[in-house]
């Protein structure tokens, strides 16, 4: 598996799942800073030629093939810090 999800991330993704249960995780160029994460609901139908699916039952995560080398070994977590909360990418790469 390319990425791991913590229990907190899975719970929050299930809570936030709408009729669109496909979530896209990828990377995009960020100028001089290198790359940033692309994390959103998938728009339109999934394209298995460009990305692959990690099926979690109530939702699926689609990862672009070109992003695999950058996301391999990453953990997606959901953290609470005071009044702030959100998804956190823990990536050793």
């Amino acid at each position: 598996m390319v990425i791991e999800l913590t229990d907190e991330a899975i719970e929050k993704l299930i809570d936030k799942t709408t009729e669109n249960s496909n979530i896209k995780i990828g990377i995009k160029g960020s100028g001089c800073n290198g790359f940033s994460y692309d994390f959103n609901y998938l728009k339109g139908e999934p394209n298995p030629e460009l990305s692959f699916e990690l099926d979690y039952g109530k939702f699926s995560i689609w990862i672009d093939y070109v992003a695999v080398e950058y996301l391999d070994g990453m953990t997606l977590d959901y953290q609470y810090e005071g009044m702030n909360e959100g998804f956190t990418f823990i990536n050793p790469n």
Side-chain angles (χ1 to χ4, degrees):
M1 184 176 294
V2 175
I3 64 171
E4 181 179 329
L5 275 65
T6 64
D7 292 340
E8 292 80 8
I10 291 171
E11 285 180 33
K12 195 51 83 170
L13 286 168
I14 289 172
D15 288 346
K16 292 184 175 286
T17 297
T18 63
E19 65 277 350
N20 182 357
S21 61
N22 293 307
I23 298 162
K24 179 182 188 258
I25 297 180
I27 57 170
K28 56 185 175 181
S30 184
C32 297
N33 296 331
F35 297 103
S36 63
Y37 296 105
D38 184 16
F39 179 69
N40 210 335
Y41 290 105
L42 188 65
K43 294 177 178 82
E45 292 297 315
N47 185 344
E49 292 180 16
L50 300 176
S51 55
F52 68 95
E53 178 183 22
L54 300 173
D55 186 353
Y56 288 91
K58 295 191 179 215
F59 64 92
S60 292
I61 294 179
W62 291 84
I63 299 175
D64 294 337
Y65 288 118
V66 296
V68 169
E69 70 178 286
Y70 301 101
L71 300 179
D72 191 30
M74 183 189 84
T75 300
L76 180 64
D77 192 14
Y78 194 85
Q79 297 180 350
Y80 299 89
E81 294 182 22
M83 296 187 69
N84 298 316
E85 62 182 86
F87 288 99
T88 302
F89 298 87
I90 303 164
N91 192 341
N93 299 321

